[in-house]
Amino acid sequence: MFRICITLLMLPLGFILFAQNVYFIDGYHGGIYGHYPVEWKTRFITDNYYKHPEWRINLEIEPETWDSVKLRTADDYSRFKEIVTNERIEFTNPTYAQPYCYNISGESIIRQFQYGIKKINEHFPSVKFITYSVEEPCFTSCLPQLLKSLGFRYAVLKCPNTCWGGYTQAHGKDLVNWIGPDGTSILSVPRYDCEHFEKNSTWQTKAWNNSKSYLKDCSDSGIKNPVGMCFQDAGWKNGPWLGFGHNVSNNSTYVTWREYIDKFSAGKTDDNWHFSQEDVHVNLMWGSQVLQKIGQEVRKSENSIVTAEKMGTLAYLENKYSYRNEQVDEAWRTLMLAQHHDSWIVPYNKLKTKRTWADEIVRWTGNTNKIANSVVKEAVESFESERKSKNNDGFIRVFNTLGFSRNEIVSIQLPDKFINTNFIIQSVGNTEIPYTIEKRNKVCFQADVPSFGYATFRILRGKPVFRNTKHTFSNNKNECVLENELYKIVFDLQKGGTIKSLIVKENNNKDYVKKGNEYLLGEISGYFYDEKRFHSSKENRAKVTLIKDNLFETVILIRGEIATHPFKQIVTIAKGQERIDFDLEIDWKQNVGIGEYKQQNNWQDNRRAFCDDRFKLNVLFPVDFNSTKLFKNAPFDVCESRLENTFFNSWDSIKHNVILNWIDLTDTDNGNSMALFTDHTTSYSYGKDFPLGLTLQYSGKGLWGPDYNVTGPLHVTYALLPHKNKWDESSVSAKSASWNEPLITYLSTDFSFENKSFIDLQKSGYELSSVQTLNDGILVRVFNAEGDDSAQKIKLNFPFKSIQEIELNDEPKQTDLSIKANSNNELLISVPKFGIRTFQIKN
């Protein structure tokens, strides 16, 4: 025994340390759009597979890549196909275009997986998808329920060698149960608590190469079977990353993720990690003009294609119209490409087309919008019947693609025959509807539209009865007042048109503006580093012009300057609409530097000028709240923020400060709240002594070194929603959905005079994430955005043969839930908060 102890003491430390079993995940990341040299790469992978039998290959390759491989290198494709289902190979991320996920809609994430899996299985039908693992920070809190419903068993929350755009929170060891917001759990490998950042690196954790230092940290933390990881860029000419044969670094064993979790991990854990969206620490070039436009283009296309599918299904239920699936598939394809992570982190990089990612996104989203608009037009026109009414000059039909009824202002252009002509508008039931006529014969009225259906209004010759609604607009040199039944808003023209008073009448005339504050509500402010000073819109006087003031809307135009650059902002309040709309444009005279300081070429340094958003151009919203909580939506989630503030200025201290669709700020003392809606994914600022701010503009050097310059006018739309009580009690999510999917109006002489609702989610708090037409019925996906876990009624106002709840992989869901309709065609279903459920309904 004594001799054994002496012998052990004499052994080198490395030998003792690495007597433990250590594992490594190797493989490739990329694709036809993001670095996959088709001419040689597939052959290279196959050759090395046979050359190094100890090697394992984890693949994160864009699915569309295999089309090109098959077409251009048929022999290499055939050889690879022979080995693709071997246990030494695992496909870990089948999404169509490898999106970051946190920056797009939940429905988009589902389609990324579904279209990607379909494409891979077209080439390799036997490939199964077991583990979700990525090389970039492509994470979001709702993934557990999506992955499990797609058939995945495991997930990985580390991306050690490509953390340029961020990383996940370090947590735990070995394994965790990653629990999503709906309660779904998936067994996952975390970024270990001891998995620190690599020294002198701003893109790696220590797990990227199974270094002695990393493995010692794992050993000291009690991790029995540590694992490192690197998905190599598919453009690199490396074989096994850590060496091969007897020369694999630190005696590491190559494994696939499936193999590691199944064979070399405990296979289970008691560590239940309720993963928050704020555990995703990500930072892109928020506020740069190029990323702002990308965000707006993607958001517009997300809204348009989902709306098109819903409109097509409305028409299918009414008159058997059927959109062409290949057309809609192509619309989704180009949208998904625009959601590629590279398009967001390296927008100036050029593709093989010689155009930049930003250039391609304009083309891709343009194609999506063109197809979506075509489907909507065809669907609407399919409602026209051959029966013309003899006593009218036409019908206006208003379509609602959401699952709840809406009462909103709509407008439509009338033909020239109505110029200088008296006419009335009637709803079904022959009730006269007040309206106004604007320039160019545009009629505007308030429409009450049933859920997922339509309302029809009849135009008749005759003298209308107009009813006045109290609107007040007053203006002098110093201030402007906007007022309707909901709000009284006072704009301070001496201070750039900022808001000095925002009185919410239905909340006991509460004034939301914080008085005596350094910052003003609606103030546009940022640090212009070439001048070494902050500039603000409040430094200059503003002028106001009344654009519209009628029965339903009051619209003003505010003109001002910031640092000599002119801006104009349109502000709209509408009857019965709690939302206050803003349309802002800054007409930059030339490129200006905006940010904490002038970033030099040392953008890879840990300290960076483009991180602290307080110095970027912001529009600010100081509100008169005391103790506050901040909520922000995420894909199929709403996150209650745990951050004291959003401020950071280095790569190693990134905080989650991303706004997807909306943020809601609540005063916990009295329930007063205000939501902020945005037309694109971007960042926000908030903390002690700094009000809520929406990032508008950064200009300077950024990630990968290019100048993220101002190249034209800034144009954004946003909205404020003052309200009482928490976001879910005030239907903030539903009101955001209404903002993103506006009512659709259409004029025809051939509509039948009726109203219809096909799907009614009633007061469940559910939303229609998707409604699609199938070959023999429809697909309905609901998301519990604001309801509780109790059973809710959903009414289907159309005949159907059967209904089946299905998983996202189209497999029937094994559930005891009864989904048979009662005599009123009502379904009783229960969906956990932030959960989704998908139903296949056959005719």
Side-chain angles (χ1 to χ4, degrees):
M1 177 66 73
F2 177 74
R3 286 196 301 271
I4 293 173
C5 291
I6 291 293
T7 303
L8 287 173
L9 288 171
M10 293 175 62
L11 288 173
L13 175 63
F15 182 89
I16 298 173
L17 174 63
F18 304 124
Q20 67 179 150
N21 296 317
V22 298
Y23 300 91
F24 194 76
I25 302 295
D26 198 0
Y28 294 104
H29 155 87
I32 194 67
Y33 295 96
H35 326 297
Y36 190 99
V38 172
E39 289 72 20
W40 61 267
K41 188 66 188 185
T42 312
R43 181 172 65 256
F44 179 84
I45 292 173
T46 307
D47 288 348
N48 276 275
Y49 168 89
Y50 285 114
K51 187 176 180 180
H52 305 293
E54 76 281 5
W55 194 33
R56 302 291 186 270
I57 308 169
N58 297 268
L59 291 174
E60 186 194 17
I61 304 298
E62 298 157 11
E64 199 173 300
T65 303
W66 305 114
D67 290 343
S68 296
V69 172
K70 181 179 181 180
L71 178 67
R72 292 161 56 183
T73 58
D75 291 342
D76 295 344
Y77 174 84
S78 296
R79 287 184 68 219
F80 179 74
K81 196 169 184 178
E82 292 174 1
I83 67 172
V84 77
T85 56
N86 188 281
E87 63 180 10
R88 290 171 53 196
I89 294 176
E90 182 175 5
F91 285 74
T92 67
N93 178 12
T95 54
Y96 201 90
Q98 301 171 359
Y100 278 128
C101 293
Y102 64 82
N103 58 333
I104 60 178
S105 71
E107 188 61 35
S108 287
I109 299 171
I110 290 173
R111 304 307 180 90
Q112 286 277 355
F113 276 102
Q114 289 179 330
Y115 279 105
I117 288 171
K118 180 180 178 182
K119 173 60 70 175
I120 292 175
N121 283 154
E122 284 176 5
H123 291 279
F124 316 119
S126 299
V127 165
K128 305 296 182 185
F129 305 95
I130 305 300
T131 313
Y132 177 73
S133 178
V134 292
E135 179 64 9
E136 306 254 359
C138 301
F139 304 109
T140 196
S141 58
C142 73
L143 279 176
Q145 72 166 323
L146 305 190
L147 293 173
K148 292 295 281 288
S149 190
L150 288 160
F152 285 79
R153 299 206 311 265
Y154 311 127
V156 178
L157 281 161
K158 60 174 76 193
C159 54
N161 198 44
T162 312
C163 301
W164 296 105
Y167 39 82
T168 57
Q169 176 66 36
H171 175 90
K173 59 183 183 180
D174 294 311
L175 299 172
V176 298
N177 294 315
W178 173 8
I179 301 177
D182 71 315
T184 300
S185 172
I186 188 167
L187 188 64
S188 303
V189 179
R191 176 188 154 212
Y192 304 143
D193 232 348
C194 67
E195 188 180 327
H196 306 302
F197 299 125
E198 183 73 17
K199 290 182 179 179
N200 303 315
S201 172
T202 53
W203 67 92
Q204 294 165 308
T205 73
K206 294 174 71 173
W208 73 280
N209 66 348
N210 269 13
S211 66
K212 292 181 180 179
S213 173
Y214 167 64
L215 296 176
K216 183 180 184 303
D217 289 345
C218 291
S219 179
D220 292 345
S221 298
I223 298 173
K224 297 178 180 179
N225 298 297
V227 61
M229 169 190 171
C230 175
F231 286 175
Q232 304 175 50
D233 189 297
W236 297 349
K237 293 186 177 182
N238 296 309
W241 184 243
L242 298 187
F244 50 84
H246 297 295
N247 298 310
V248 180
S249 179
N250 293 323
N251 294 317
S252 301
T253 299
Y254 290 112
V255 286
T256 63
W257 276 120
R258 175 185 61 231
E259 182 182 16
Y260 171 76
I261 298 173
D262 280 345
K263 297 181 179 179
F264 305 115
S265 77
K268 60 182 180 180
T269 180
D270 295 327
D271 188 350
N272 296 320
W273 187 14
H274 291 269
F275 187 89
S276 164
Q277 190 71 354
E278 289 187 339
D279 290 317
V280 184
H281 300 258
V282 285
N283 183 44
L284 298 177
M285 294 305 302
W286 307 122
S288 65
Q289 204 158 75
V290 64
L291 190 57
Q292 188 175 85
K293 289 180 178 179
I294 287 171
Q296 290 170 329
E297 288 156 356
V298 168
R299 176 67 51 77
K300 180 179 178 181
S301 291
E302 283 182 324
N303 293 337
S304 67
I305 187 57
V306 168
T307 298
E309 287 180 329
K310 291 178 179 179
M311 272 301 308
T313 307
L314 273 172
Y316 170 79
L317 293 172
E318 172 87 354
N319 50 51
K320 299 304 178 185
Y321 162 82
S322 183
Y323 52 73
R324 294 182 291 280
N325 285 326
E326 65 275 10
Q327 215 180 3
V328 171
D329 291 345
E330 175 61 15
W332 272 107
R333 173 184 168 272
T334 49
L335 170 58
M336 290 186 296
L337 293 177
Q339 295 168 335
H340 195 294
H341 66 269
D342 276 345
S343 66
W344 291 70
I345 195 169
V346 286
Y348 290 128
N349 280 12
K350 289 189 176 182
L351 286 78
K352 293 179 181 179
T353 60
K354 307 302 181 184
R355 292 184 290 267
T356 66
W357 280 99
D359 295 334
E360 292 291 7
I361 287 168
V362 173
R363 295 161 59 91
W364 287 330
T365 56
N367 179 67
T368 299
N369 297 339
K370 181 180 178 181
I371 293 172
N373 292 340
S374 173
V375 170
V376 169
K377 185 174 185 295
E378 289 178 3
V380 169
E381 290 176 348
S382 74
F383 282 89
E384 294 180 313
S385 68
E386 296 179 357
R387 304 186 309 274
K388 291 186 179 180
S389 300
K390 296 180 181 179
N391 63 339
N392 69 80
D393 285 287
F395 298 96
I396 300 169
R397 181 160 285 178
V398 183
F399 295 90
N400 175 14
T401 56
L402 299 181
F404 46 84
S405 60
R406 298 159 71 177
N407 187 278
E408 297 176 17
I409 310 301
V410 298
S411 60
I412 193 167
Q413 191 75 34
L414 295 182
D416 291 344
K417 66 180 181 179
F418 288 102
I419 295 176
N420 299 323
T421 301
N422 284 328
F423 62 91
I424 63 175
I425 298 176
Q426 288 182 340
S427 64
V428 173
N430 299 327
T431 300
E432 184 179 345
I433 302 297
Y435 68 88
T436 62
I437 291 288
E438 301 175 3
K439 294 179 180 178
R440 299 180 297 277
N441 217 33
K442 190 176 183 181
V443 64
C444 177
F445 63 97
Q446 193 158 14
D448 194 0
V449 191
S451 58
F452 198 71
Y454 58 80
T456 312
F457 301 87
R458 180 166 58 186
I459 304 173
L460 296 172
R461 303 281 178 160
K463 188 174 181 180
V465 177
F466 292 103
R467 303 170 195 165
N468 291 322
T469 301
K470 183 181 179 182
H471 284 262
T472 300
F473 169 78
S474 61
N475 177 32
N476 59 43
K477 291 184 178 179
N478 296 328
E479 66 180 33
C480 161
V481 178
L482 273 185
E483 186 173 3
N484 65 4
E485 81 281 10
L486 297 177
Y487 302 116
K488 181 178 181 181
I489 310 172
V490 182
F491 296 87
D492 191 338
L493 302 182
Q494 296 182 92
K495 296 183 178 180
T498 55
I499 297 174
K500 64 189 297 185
S501 177
L502 171 53
I503 293 174
V504 182
K505 296 182 179 181
E506 293 189 346
N507 190 9
N508 297 317
N509 288 314
K510 162 71 177 175
D511 191 342
Y512 272 55
V513 175
K514 191 169 187 176
K515 302 297 192 293
N517 192 51
E518 175 185 354
Y519 306 101
L520 303 180
L521 200 149
E523 174 185 352
I524 303 167
S525 174
Y527 189 73
F528 291 63
Y529 53 72
D530 288 329
E531 301 179 49
K532 295 182 171 57
R533 60 159 294 185
F534 279 92
H535 277 292
S536 169
S537 59
K538 69 183 179 184
E539 297 168 352
N540 302 292
R541 291 187 61 89
K543 295 181 180 179
V544 66
T545 303
L546 179 65
I547 295 179
K548 184 191 301 185
D549 189 18
N550 58 39
L551 293 171
F552 310 106
E553 295 178 306
T554 304
V555 183
I556 61 170
L557 171 65
I558 297 172
R559 295 181 182 273
E561 286 187 355
I562 179 167
T564 75
H565 303 273
F567 74 83
K568 56 184 180 181
Q569 181 159 242
I570 297 171
V571 184
T572 302
I573 58 173
K575 178 185 177 183
Q577 177 180 285
E578 296 173 80
R579 197 182 68 236
I580 305 167
D581 291 332
F582 297 82
D583 187 318
L584 172 65
E585 183 174 325
I586 301 177
D587 190 10
W588 300 110
K589 294 179 179 178
Q590 69 275 334
N591 180 47
V592 291
I594 304 174
E596 186 181 3
Y597 56 88
K598 186 172 184 177
Q599 179 74 53
Q600 303 298 331
N601 291 325
N602 59 339
W603 62 271
Q604 295 188 49
D605 286 358
N606 190 43
R607 181 74 165 86
R608 297 171 174 183
F610 47 83
C611 291
D612 194 336
D613 291 343
R614 290 175 294 180
F615 293 87
K616 297 176 183 178
L617 196 71
N618 287 273
V619 55
L620 302 175
F621 308 101
V623 287
D624 188 22
F625 294 173
N626 298 317
S627 177
T628 58
K629 280 188 177 181
L630 187 145
F631 299 87
K632 49 191 170 185
N633 87 312
F636 295 136
D637 189 13
V638 175
C639 170
E640 180 179 336
S641 181
R642 304 171 302 193
L643 301 175
E644 290 186 7
N645 60 63
T646 61
F647 316 142
F648 65 94
N649 55 30
S650 61
W651 173 82
D652 62 3
S653 62
I654 295 174
K655 298 179 183 179
H656 186 282
N657 64 343
V658 178
I659 175 172
L660 180 64
N661 298 96
W662 56 265
I663 281 176
D664 194 63
L665 201 60
T666 296
D667 189 334
T668 57
D669 289 345
N670 50 42
N672 295 325
S673 305
M674 187 177 72
L676 166 66
F677 297 166
T678 171
D679 67 352
H680 66 291
T681 301
T682 185
S683 63
Y684 70 95
S685 298
Y686 186 67
K688 185 180 179 181
D689 300 325
F690 194 85
L692 178 63
L694 178 67
T695 304
L696 294 176
Q697 192 79 77
Y698 169 80
S699 179
K701 283 191 180 294
L703 287 169
W704 307 101
D707 289 312
Y708 286 78
N709 288 337
V710 169
T711 57
L714 174 150
H715 184 203
V716 298
T717 59
Y718 63 93
L720 294 178
L721 180 72
H723 63 96
K724 185 76 173 174
N725 301 321
K726 269 185 65 179
W727 64 273
D728 47 358
E729 298 172 37
S730 298
S731 302
V732 169
S733 182
K735 288 162 186 171
S736 172
S738 297
W739 196 55
N740 282 279
E741 289 187 46
L743 296 169
I744 297 169
T745 58
Y746 197 80
L747 179 70
S748 175
T749 59
D750 297 336
F751 287 141
S752 54
F753 191 34
E754 61 182 346
N755 297 346
K756 278 192 178 180
S757 168
F758 294 92
I759 301 174
D760 188 359
L761 301 182
Q762 303 186 64
K763 296 181 179 180
S764 61
Y766 296 176
E767 295 178 6
L768 290 174
S769 177
S770 175
V771 186
Q772 306 166 43
T773 304
L774 306 176
N775 290 332
D776 55 352
I778 68 171
L779 179 146
V780 176
R781 182 156 36 249
V782 298
F783 165 52
N784 185 354
E786 297 172 333
D788 56 29
D789 296 350
S790 63
Q792 301 291 333
K793 290 180 180 179
I794 294 178
K795 190 164 187 179
L796 304 179
N797 298 311
F798 56 89
F800 60 89
K801 179 180 179 182
S802 64
I803 180 168
Q804 170 70 57
E805 185 176 0
I806 61 172
E807 302 283 7
L808 294 178
N809 61 5
D810 293 334
E811 292 292 327
K813 189 161 186 175
Q814 301 301 316
T815 175
D816 295 329
L817 179 68
S818 173
I819 51 175
K820 293 182 179 179
N822 61 22
S823 58
N824 294 321
N825 261 19
E826 290 177 328
L827 307 177
L828 190 65
I829 66 171
S830 179
V831 183
K833 195 161 190 173
F834 307 130
I836 60 169
R837 293 291 183 269
T838 305
F839 302 96
Q840 190 178 66
I841 306 173
K842 294 188 177 182
N843 292 345

